[in-house]
Amino acid sequence: MTQDLVDELQWRGLIAQHTDLDALRAHLNAGPVTFYCGFDPTAASLHHGHLVQVLLMRHLQNAGHKPLALVGGATGMIGDPRLSGERQLQSRDVVGQWADRLRAQLSQFLEFDGPAAARLVNNLDWTSQLSAIDLLRDVGQYFRVGTMLSKDIVARRLNSEEGISFTEFSYQILQAHDYLQLFRNYGCTLETGGNDQWGNMIGGVELIRRVEGATTHVMTTPIITKSDGTKFGKSEGGAIWLDPQMMSPYAFYQFWLQVADEDVVKLLKVFTFDSRERIEELAQSVAERPHLREGQKELAEKVTTLVHGADAVARVQAATEALWGRGDLREVDEETLVAATGELPSGSIRVGHDTIVDALIASGLEKGRSAARRTVASGGAYLNNVKVEDEDAPIEASDLLAGGLALIRRGRRNLAVVHANQ
């Protein structure tokens, strides 16, 4: 099984940089390998970039290797250097709360039973035991400042107007020390992570070689880009968060559903466990029948199921169908309905008083009463997907859906919502 693992990961586009690939392949083939990937609590949730790391961990675990998911309770209080500038340091309490949330999220993606059972670890457990003297004397002696300065992100920050603080400069020592501790405590011999972590990861390999005289490995995933070369994974609201409170399952599903035809096959390889045969089928569909968007539908369903579960996908799909008249809006729960209509034009009405004409105007679907009346008369006005023929009938409380809103439609494609005026 492991003989083909590296080839499979390369085919999926999950390997960017690595130490000696032949040696790594042999190491994975020799028997179960304990490996780790670190996740810093620099926000309250993981995002789609972390999901790439999680999926790589799952591929390795499915091949019989043992994952250590490290939550950086210590490194999260420092923050690794980034090109955009110094991070704002969070309080210990906030970092601790975020670390707990990341632990809970990671727990849903890995298997914690069986011969390849995963383990959650926190680098605060060993880093908090280090005094400043211990760190400088027992760890720092193995690092050369010239090498540390040559790391790409450090060099670029040094040449910026802001420069880099000693706090962020020291991050690479802490990450390398994590690898050493995991090597000693769990026999960990492989670190995985994003390609932007390459320098820090190699620092761990070198530290273990210097201190223990042992050979270890690292492997990075690429930064996922779109066909135009830009970084993949931004929405109008910012990052693609995995926490449903920070990005609703509906918005999450819609994000994946809207990816471009040019990108969908690549993303299916990275973000799903679909077989080569299935992805080839979908690639053919995208090329020959792009209007069906079969690749995007598969991608959205598989990723949203992985992150939010099958029940959430069913609710999202039901809401999507209902919005366009192919389902019952009253069966859509409030949270999903509010999320599904959150980006639509909206307005407010007086329940029991205002009519469909008022609603069309309040929502911005029509500019005046004459135009609104013509829309009703021509059969183009809908309330909750039901055609309205009486322009004088008031909208009643019984017409409101979950969340106290009503869906207004003009013609086939123009949607808006109105809320009861409080």
Side-chain angles (χ1 to χ4, degrees), residues 136-305:
L136 293 173
R137 180 182 174 86
D138 298 338
V139 183
Q141 66 168 308
Y142 296 103
F143 288 81
R144 294 296 173 263
V145 172
T147 302
M148 296 174 70
L149 290 172
S150 68
K151 299 288 175 62
D152 179 63
I153 189 64
V154 172
R156 294 169 74 178
R157 281 284 296 278
L158 282 171
N159 291 323
S160 69
E161 292 185 5
E162 185 176 7
I164 187 171
S165 69
F166 179 77
T167 299
E168 289 196 354
F169 179 64
S170 65
Y171 183 94
Q172 55 188 294
I173 297 178
L174 295 180
Q175 183 168 336
H177 182 249
D178 287 343
Y179 199 174
L180 175 62
Q181 289 299 312
L182 295 176
F183 173 82
R184 287 172 168 171
N185 296 334
Y186 302 102
C188 178
T189 53
L190 170 63
E191 180 182 3
T192 65
N195 207 30
D196 57 342
Q197 293 295 311
W198 171 257
N200 293 339
M201 294 163 70
I202 287 295
V205 170
E206 284 298 306
L207 180 61
I208 293 170
R209 183 184 64 80
R210 290 170 180 264
V211 176
E212 302 290 346
T215 298
T216 53
H217 306 269
V218 297
M219 178 170 63
T220 68
T221 58
I223 303 301
I224 307 301
T225 57
K226 296 185 288 188
S227 57
D228 62 6
T230 60
K231 189 174 179 180
F232 170 76
K234 290 291 184 181
S235 69
E236 291 183 4
I240 310 305
W241 300 111
L242 308 191
D243 188 320
Q245 301 304 313
M246 297 174 68
M247 186 176 195
S248 72
Y250 182 87
F252 187 84
Y253 180 91
Q254 292 296 326
F255 169 80
W256 298 97
L257 192 62
Q258 299 304 319
V259 301
D261 291 342
E262 296 79 10
D263 300 320
V264 66
V265 174
K266 174 182 179 179
L267 298 177
L268 282 164
K269 292 179 180 180
V270 172
F271 287 101
T272 78
F273 293 97
D274 281 358
S275 66
R276 295 193 186 202
E277 292 75 19
R278 176 58 178 158
I279 292 177
E280 287 169 1
E281 290 175 4
L282 292 167
Q284 184 174 358
S285 175
V286 171
E288 298 176 359
R289 303 177 298 277
H291 61 285
L292 297 179
R293 301 187 67 77
E294 290 181 343
Q296 286 87 342
K297 290 176 182 177
E298 176 97 351
L299 178 66
E301 180 175 344
K302 290 296 180 68
V303 181
T304 308
T305 299

